Amino acid sequence: MDVKQKKEGLGMTSRRTRNRLVARLREQGISNEKVLDVINEIPRHLFVDEALAHRAYEDTSLPIGFNQTISQPYVVAKMTETLLSGPPKKKILEIGTGSGYQTAVLAELVEKVFSVERISGLVKRARRILGDIGYRNISFKHADGGLGWENQAPFDSIIITASPRTVPESLLNQLADDGSVLAPVGDGDNQELVLFKKTGTEFQKTVMEPVKFVPLLAGTS
Ligand code: SAH
């Protein structure tokens, strides 16, 4: 299969299945056209195992090995749309690279994405896939994302795609003025998507909706 075919996809990964996914996201309330366009363009089937490629444009999370999953497209769309609201964002820190799919969506919409993942096998995999597709505005790091990426701070926004009980203090400290953090905060089955907007030294908290993410774990593996 040549690269063009691979990118365009065949059969269940075709243009029509992607359009169906975007229509579904629209029905569920996603309204940012740039986000919808990007989801329509990014070949999500390249981020899942080949055996599951035929399910890549269903609105569902799927296994990516290492006991982790690629997030559901609706959740990726919702988080991206929320993150892009408010003042323009140039520099974003993502905690939990996973498959790299959310990373790709962000890389299409902002100038520079810094992404941290604690599982080395996933960092390698995401680096390869995103490199093959041709992204040049992503920096990867294998580390405990709870510590952030201090020497690249401050960030306009921080997105956490694994669930912390509370947002780590070190991440809040790496935000720019007017910056925001978006995170699935909670415990096991009790998680909600929360947006923290910084103004001066204060944080304004907005609770969005219930979500289900794997836990944010300390250390690396
Ligand atoms: N947005 C990703 C979601 C991946 S699942 C996607 O769509 O593919 C969450 C990821 O967070 C997992 O890969 C997990 O290993 C990672 N993770 C959990 N705790 C972490 C930590 N402290 N630092 C960095 N990554 C972490």
Side-chain angles (χ1 to χ4, degrees), residues 35 38-39 42 44 47 64 69-84 92-110 113-115 126 130 135 138 140 158-162 182 193 213:
V35 173
V38 162
I39 289 183
I42 296 179
R44 189 168 184 261
F47 294 83
I64 52 170
T69 54
I70 180 171
S71 302
Q72 183 192 351
Y74 168 74
V75 173
V76 172
K78 184 73 192 176
M79 288 182 88
T80 309
E81 181 172 88
T82 305
L83 203 81
L84 293 181
I92 292 197
L93 174 65
E94 177 189 43
I95 308 301
T97 315
S99 67
Y101 178 70
Q102 169 81 74
T103 324
V105 172
L106 293 171
E108 292 280 354
L109 296 163
V110 303
V113 182
F114 294 85
S115 190
L130 292 163
Y135 291 102
I138 304 170
F140 300 90
I158 300 178
I159 177 174
I160 310 181
T161 70
L182 184 59
L193 192 57
F213 279 83

Side-chain angles (χ1 to χ4, degrees), residues 7 42-43 46-47 104 108 127-136:
K7 266 194 149 182
I42 296 179
L46 300 184
F47 294 83
E108 292 280 354
R127 200 191 293 264
R128 174 176 52 77
I129 295 169
L130 292 163
D132 282 353
I133 298 175
Y135 291 102
R136 296 287 173 267

Side-chain angles (χ1 to χ4, degrees), residues 2 4 8 16-17 27 34 47 51 72 94 99 110 120 122 124 144 184 189 199 207 217:
D2 72 19
K4 182 151 188 294
E8 274 302 308
R16 204 147 49 92
T17 34
E27 272 165 31
K34 283 189 191 161
F47 294 83
Q72 183 192 351
E94 177 189 43
S99 67
V110 303
S120 69
L122 287 175
K124 282 191 197 126
D144 178 352
D189 286 334
T199 35
V207 176
L217 299 175

